[in-house]
Amino acid sequence: MSLAEHLKKAAAEDKVRLHTPGHKGKICQLDLTELSDDSFPAGYVLEAERRAADIYGARHAHYLCGGSSQGVKSAVFYSGACAVVDVNSHRSVFDGFVLSGKRFVTAGNVGSVYPLTVKQIDSAVTADTKAVVVTTPTYYGFCADIDGIADYCKRKGLLFIADSAHGAHFGFSDKLPESVAKKADICNVSTHKTLCALTQSALLLDNLTDKNSARLCDIVSVMGTTSPSYLLYASIDDALTKAASKDTAAAYDRLYDAVQDIKTEFPFLDNDDFTRLVLDCARLNVSPAKLNKALIRRGVYSELVTDKYIVFILTAQDEPASVLSLKTALSAELGSNK
């Protein structure tokens, strides 16, 4: 039985709600806290976490309702060590070092769309370096040399932490890269970013010993809330079940063909993740900000706008029609600029 099914069962039995949350089910019946009969949900969450670990091929999984930020900070704090980090890392990486009180050295080029390389990491490693934090994929859909970095860290005795917030969907299609979860010592994935889970839901995956994973779990609890949302947890379980299905693989196949078509018409970056469409506005000689506003007027909303690029995110929940809508809007706007 899935975590969502357990939640529905508990909600049906919980007829007189003389407990939190204060909306008493009137906003959402499935928004439940721990029940006083101890029947739900702690044990079921552990079962769901084991399923998640199996799906990603990691040793352990920890459910998060504080987003990947909770996982990243937990991983950095767990390492308790000075580290090499990507200069373009998410702020949660740097927050983790503030909390741990350890030193970090940045590597890479500011503003780069590419992840750290083994060479860049090696050039930044010092005598007191004990960990490496790599962002893969980057916001722009480029993946690091995971095998090379994993081998390097193993040889040097470094803890390999991967911020894979934007790679939750990896491994669920032969047209997508493999997940870093099998290679990194610790990695996080945002199930709400590229899978169909609710916002703030995420996973922290690890390949540590059972003892060390338990210590990491304790830190996850410290970094999180004592009132986790089981509605978010259930959405993670449901999202992973869907992601691992044949229907999801077929959905990615349909999207792939549509993406290849739009890439023949407009200059998108040739990245590793075909679901991450990054329009190179410099090659079009147009302002990303102005073009984005024009797309919004046509009902097309992007994920990110920089001084060079507009980033669009596709997931298995999208249909090829979404890509066609983007193509139609771009054709209309760029045609008027010529």
Side-chain angles (χ1 to χ4, degrees):
M1 187 180 294
S2 71
L3 187 54
E5 289 170 330
H6 283 298
L7 192 58
K8 290 175 182 177
K9 181 176 182 293
E13 295 172 352
D14 187 19
K15 300 183 185 303
V16 183
R17 299 191 177 188
L18 302 181
H19 56 75
T20 61
H23 61 73
K24 303 303 178 93
K26 290 182 172 60
I27 294 177
C28 176
Q29 282 196 327
L30 300 186
D31 182 24
L32 289 174
T33 186
E34 296 92 343
L35 300 180
S36 57
D37 65 355
D38 296 325
S39 65
F40 182 83
Y44 304 124
V45 173
L46 292 176
E47 291 177 9
E49 288 177 333
R50 283 192 285 269
R51 285 196 295 272
D54 289 341
I55 287 172
Y56 279 104
R59 290 197 64 182
H60 311 95
H62 313 274
Y63 271 29
L64 309 173
C65 61
S68 267
S69 295
Q70 180 186 357
V72 171
K73 287 183 283 189
S74 299
V76 171
F77 193 90
Y78 165 86
S79 72
C82 298
V84 172
V85 306
D86 191 328
V87 69
N88 300 302
S89 294
H90 187 265
R91 63 165 290 180
S92 59
V93 173
F94 304 111
D95 288 345
F97 283 99
V98 170
L99 292 169
S100 69
K102 294 298 181 179
R103 184 178 64 84
F104 63 85
V105 176
T106 58
N109 302 313
V110 175
S112 175
V113 300
Y114 302 106
L116 288 181
T117 65
V118 172
K119 183 177 180 180
Q120 289 172 323
I121 294 169
D122 186 56
S123 65
V125 167
T126 61
D128 63 348
T129 299
K130 299 298 180 183
V132 174
V133 184
V134 176
T135 301
T136 181
T138 67
Y139 218 122
Y140 304 92
F142 290 96
C143 297
D145 174 12
I146 297 304
D147 288 336
I149 294 174
D151 290 343
Y152 175 85
C153 289
K154 187 174 182 179
R155 291 197 315 270
K156 296 288 186 178
L158 305 174
L159 186 74
F160 177 19
I161 299 172
D163 179 2
S164 192
H166 288 269
H169 58 306
F170 284 5
F172 295 118
S173 166
D174 58 9
K175 293 178 172 59
L176 290 167
E178 287 296 316
S179 173
V180 67
K182 296 178 183 179
K183 300 290 184 177
D185 293 307
I186 308 174
C187 83
N188 59 282
V189 295
S190 287
T191 50
H192 73 95
K193 282 182 166 62
T194 56
L195 297 184
C196 61
L198 294 173
T199 298
Q200 282 189 213
S201 64
L203 278 172
L204 189 62
L205 301 148
D206 75 67
N207 293 296
L208 306 172
T209 64
D210 291 347
K211 181 179 180 179
N212 286 339
S213 183
R215 186 164 71 85
L216 175 62
C217 186
D218 289 340
I219 295 171
V220 168
S221 295
V222 171
M223 295 294 176
T225 174
T226 56
S227 300
S229 169
Y230 296 108
L231 184 61
L232 295 190
Y233 283 179
S235 79
I236 296 173
D237 194 28
D238 185 56
L240 291 180
T241 299
K242 289 179 180 177
S245 71
K246 292 181 179 179
D247 288 343
T248 291
Y252 282 125
D253 286 344
R254 292 192 297 271
L255 281 177
Y256 184 82
D257 292 336
V259 168
Q260 300 317 301
D261 177 65
I262 195 173
K263 282 189 171 182
T264 64
E265 299 291 330
F266 302 100
F268 290 96
L269 297 186
D270 186 18
N271 54 15
D272 300 305
D273 179 4
F274 81 89
T275 68
R276 188 60 54 105
L277 285 168
V278 183
L279 186 65
D280 188 346
C281 294
R283 288 177 57 187
L284 291 168
N285 195 31
V286 298
S287 162
K290 289 182 179 179
L291 178 56
N292 188 64
K293 288 181 179 179
L295 293 176
I296 289 173
R297 288 194 294 269
R298 294 181 179 276
V300 177
Y301 285 73
S302 64
E303 164 70 14
L304 175 72
V305 181
T306 73
D307 61 342
K308 296 180 180 178
Y309 308 111
I310 304 178
V311 180
F312 306 91
I313 296 177
L314 298 171
T315 76
Q317 302 306 304
D318 284 296
E319 294 292 337
S322 298
V323 184
L324 179 59
S325 293
L326 173 59
K327 180 181 176 181
T328 300
L330 287 173
S331 297
E333 290 303 324
L334 295 175
S336 65
N337 287 329
K338 293 181 180 179

